[in-house]
Amino acid sequence: MTVVTPKFGMSASVLRREDQAFLKGAGKAGTIGSTHAAFNAVTDALYRAYGIRHIDMPATPARIWAAIEEAKGA
């Protein structure tokens, strides 16, 4: 069985004609909610495993790791 882990990241906003009203964002208007859903999944997992209730944005791997290490030491 092959496990595929999605890679999440942010890139620079680009003004594109196909975006409605020439809006800048994290992608097409229909994908904006996925950023919040992914972040909610991360915070939910951190709360369940370590009791971490809050991560400051942007939730970088270093920030998440520091929160885990802090929770382990508490």
Side-chain angles (χ1 to χ4, degrees):
M1 180 169 115
T2 303
V3 177
V4 178
T5 304
K7 293 183 181 181
F8 298 98
M10 300 297 286
S11 62
S13 296
V14 177
L15 191 60
R16 296 183 292 188
R17 288 194 176 276
E18 62 268 18
D19 290 339
Q20 287 188 349
F22 298 96
L23 298 174
K24 288 185 176 182
K28 300 282 186 196
T31 64
I32 296 299
S34 64
T35 305
H36 301 293
F39 184 70
N40 285 342
V42 169
T43 54
D44 184 54
L46 290 172
Y47 176 71
R48 290 173 186 255
Y50 302 102
I52 298 170
R53 294 182 180 269
H54 177 78
I55 295 285
D56 288 330
M57 290 296 287
T60 62
R63 207 171 259 175
I64 293 170
W65 184 256
I68 291 171
E69 290 299 311
E70 184 179 335
K72 283 181 180 179

